Amino acid sequence: MMKKPALTALTMVIAVGWIALLIVVFVVVAGVDLLQQGLYDTEYSETFLGADACSEKALSNLNTNHSYAGELALIIGDISCDIVVVVVDSDTRTIQVTATQGLVYVSRLEISVSNLNSPPITVTNWEEVSSF
């Protein structure tokens, strides 16, 4: 029986080529997934920071005008905020901020404020919530 070194070499080159191709495909797919996750994290962070900025504006408005009731569609950059001020009692308010970026990214903050009638006002709670 004759040995065929060329055929053996060709078979090895093809096998190594397929393995290399599979590795490249895996790396590309993993890289795309990491890029998508990074984009999500960035967009979500921007939305959260927008909600935070809208909350600060609401606190400032409430500090100067105790009857401030909030506002719809406050725009900060690419972020749209809806602010609702809920009257708990004469001295206490709850500020609900919903910030939206595009159709996907939403951040909601709820801030409890007291001592409206005896400044300085006091923030008693500031937290991100999933719904109001």
Side-chain angles (χ1 to χ4, degrees):
M1 185 166 150
M2 289 181 42
K3 292 186 178 181
K4 299 181 180 178
L7 185 58
T8 303
L10 180 61
T11 304
M12 290 300 291
V13 167
I14 290 172
V16 169
W18 274 107
I19 292 171
L21 180 64
L22 289 174
I23 290 171
V24 167
V25 167
F26 174 76
V27 168
V28 167
V29 168
V32 168
D33 186 50
L34 287 174
L35 284 173
Q36 287 176 333
Q37 184 63 38
L39 177 63
Y40 174 80
D41 290 346
T42 300
E43 297 293 326
Y44 179 76
S45 294
E46 287 177 4
T47 306
F48 179 80
L49 291 174
D52 199 48
C54 291
S55 299
E56 291 287 345
K57 177 157 178 44
L59 280 171
S60 176
N61 289 346
L62 190 60
N63 192 35
T64 58
N65 175 9
H66 295 187
S67 62
Y68 174 70
E71 52 197 289
L72 299 177
L74 173 66
I75 306 295
I76 297 179
D78 294 338
I79 312 298
S80 172
C81 293
D82 294 331
I83 302 169
V84 176
V85 178
V86 178
V87 177
V88 177
D89 60 40
S90 65
D91 202 38
T92 308
R93 304 287 187 276
T94 299
I95 302 170
Q96 299 173 335
V97 177
T98 302
T100 307
Q101 183 174 19
L103 299 173
V104 178
Y105 304 101
V106 176
S107 181
R108 292 179 183 87
L109 296 178
E110 188 168 71
I111 301 102
S112 298
V113 180
S114 62
N115 294 336
L116 286 179
N117 298 322
S118 56
I121 63 173
T122 304
V123 175
T124 56
N125 190 36
W126 186 304
E127 65 182 326
E128 186 172 20
V129 295
S130 58
S131 64
F132 299 117

